């Protein structure tokens, strides 16, 4: 446990530049919203759009962090793979660090977005806002974990291909395998038996945002929320977490058994 904590502490230092890059990107988008607000005079509307983009980009935050961290290890991969600690421990450290970095900006973004929505849409009721924020946060965090785990899996596949082919061919084969897997997974989810297994624990959420409608009429820029009653299934969230764990385990197994340095 002490070795894992030490590794995680090192990982925070190693991954700090990735966090700063994401922070600069998010700050730039927000700054763009401020500049557009001052330029066109629609502060609430432009800030709402900017903050919505920032919140949505967190879906890919974990994948970006993992890419940066793993790429930083590339030059000393022979040491990384020959460490006494298990591959699962090494990847868990990176995953944990990425999640901590992601949550630190995500929570702030959500708070700012809530304040912006309340300011921009004065008729917005508290229940609708909380429903939308709660469901959106859950979807983004689980999706980020799912995509991050998928990235680890295909990164391990890429390492395996790299032992037999050059980098370009390995990358091409990995991309092809990714699209084939995505197609197969999509068809798998559409099987009636699978839908029966996962369509449970339905939660009906009323007045949730499903989009923004923007219009510009007679030099007046307006942003209106599009709301609807939506049904979410706890089974879908459990399914995504389950497959994320399976992909993580598969990535660990491939690196440990198939990758040689």
């Amino acid at each position: 446990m002490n070795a894992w904590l030490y590794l995680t502490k090192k990982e925070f230092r190693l991954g700090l530049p990735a966090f700063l890059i994401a922070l600069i990107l998010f700050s730039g988008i927000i700054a763009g919203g401020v500049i557009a607000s001052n330029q066109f005079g629609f502060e609430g509307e432009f800030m709402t759009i900017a903050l919505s983009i920032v919140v949505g980009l967190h879906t890919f935050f974990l994948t970006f962090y993992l890419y940066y961290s793993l790429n930083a290890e590339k030059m000393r991969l022979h040491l990384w793979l020959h460490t006494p600690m298990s591959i699962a421990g090494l990847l868990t450290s990176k995953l944990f660090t990425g999640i901590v970095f992601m949550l630190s900006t995500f929570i702030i973004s959500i708070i700012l977005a809530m304040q912006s929505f309340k300011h921009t849409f004065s008729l917005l009721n508290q229940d609708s806002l909380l429903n939308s924020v709660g469901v959106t946060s859950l979807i983004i965090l689980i999706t980020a974990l799912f995509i991050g785990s998928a990235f680890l899996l295909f990164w391990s596949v890429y390492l395996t291909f790299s032992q037999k082919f050059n980098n370009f061919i390995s990358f091409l084969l990995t991309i092809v395998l990714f699209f084939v897997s995505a197609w197969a997974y999509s068809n798998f989810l559409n099987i009636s038996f699978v839908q029966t297994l996962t369509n449970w624990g339905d939660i009906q959420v009323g007045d949730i945002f499903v989009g923004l409608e923007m219009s510009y009429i007679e030099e007046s820029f307006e942003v209106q929320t599009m709301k609807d009653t939506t049904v979410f299934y706890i089974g879908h969230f459990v399914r995504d977490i389950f497959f994320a764990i399976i992909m993580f385990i598969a990535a660990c197994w491939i690196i440990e058994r198939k990758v040689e340095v």
Side-chain angles (χ1 to χ4, degrees):
M1 186 63 180
N2 289 335
W4 187 86
L5 292 175
Y6 175 80
L7 179 65
T8 302
K9 183 179 179 180
K10 180 186 74 71
E11 183 64 34
F12 274 109
R13 294 195 302 269
L14 177 69
L16 183 60
F19 171 71
L20 294 177
I21 291 172
L23 194 60
I24 292 171
L25 173 63
F26 296 154
S27 300
I29 294 173
I30 295 174
V34 173
I35 294 172
S37 300
N38 294 333
Q39 183 72 24
F40 299 102
F42 301 101
E43 180 180 353
E45 288 79 2
F46 280 108
M47 286 306 300
T48 296
I49 294 172
L51 288 167
S52 297
I53 293 173
V54 169
V55 170
L57 283 177
H58 278 82
T59 303
F60 305 99
F61 184 105
L62 189 57
T63 300
F64 166 71
Y65 175 82
L66 290 171
Y67 169 78
Y68 179 91
S69 180
L70 291 168
N71 194 56
E73 301 272 16
K74 192 174 182 180
M75 298 303 296
R76 50 198 181 94
L77 191 61
H78 61 289
L79 297 176
W80 192 66
L81 293 179
H82 291 163
T83 180
M85 183 174 291
S86 67
I87 296 299
L90 294 167
L91 292 182
T92 301
S93 175
K94 294 184 179 297
L95 202 60
F96 173 79
T97 307
I99 291 173
V100 171
F101 278 137
M102 179 179 67
L103 288 177
S104 63
T105 56
F106 183 73
I107 293 173
I108 295 174
S109 301
I110 283 290
I111 293 174
L112 292 175
M114 288 180 64
Q115 295 301 318
S116 179
F117 267 77
K118 288 170 66 176
H119 173 73
T120 306
F121 308 107
S122 56
L123 298 179
L124 189 66
N125 64 70
Q126 189 74 11
D127 289 341
S128 178
L129 180 61
L130 292 176
N131 287 343
S132 299
V133 169
V135 172
T136 299
S137 299
L138 188 61
I139 291 175
I140 288 177
L141 294 177
I142 292 179
T143 302
L145 180 63
F146 184 90
I147 297 176
S149 298
F151 171 77
L152 286 177
L153 175 60
F154 287 99
W155 178 75
S156 66
V157 170
Y158 170 78
L159 289 181
T160 304
F161 284 144
S162 296
Q163 296 178 123
K164 297 182 179 180
F165 310 102
N166 61 47
N167 290 342
F168 176 75
I169 297 297
S170 300
F171 177 76
L172 189 62
L173 290 173
T174 304
I175 291 296
V176 171
L177 183 60
F178 167 77
F179 281 109
V180 171
S181 300
W183 173 81
Y185 183 70
S186 177
N187 287 322
F188 172 75
L189 295 183
N190 289 326
I191 298 175
S192 58
F193 175 72
V194 174
Q195 292 180 347
T196 301
L197 287 178
T198 58
N199 290 356
W200 56 268
D202 57 305
I203 302 175
Q204 189 168 1
V205 183
D207 292 334
I208 188 172
F209 302 142
V210 294
L212 296 173
E213 184 176 350
M214 295 172 284
S215 59
Y216 187 81
I217 304 174
E218 297 180 357
E219 299 184 354
S220 175
F221 183 79
E222 295 183 354
V223 178
Q224 296 180 336
T225 57
M226 300 168 61
K227 297 187 292 184
D228 197 2
T229 299
T230 309
V231 177
F232 295 92
Y233 294 97
I234 297 177
H236 288 184
F237 297 140
V238 174
R239 175 201 66 200
D240 292 342
I241 293 174
F242 172 77
F243 278 105
I245 295 173
I246 293 298
M247 287 189 290
F248 178 81
I249 294 174
C252 294
W253 184 87
I254 290 173
I255 295 173
E256 198 158 17
R257 301 293 181 87
K258 301 298 180 180
V259 176
E260 298 179 358
V261 179

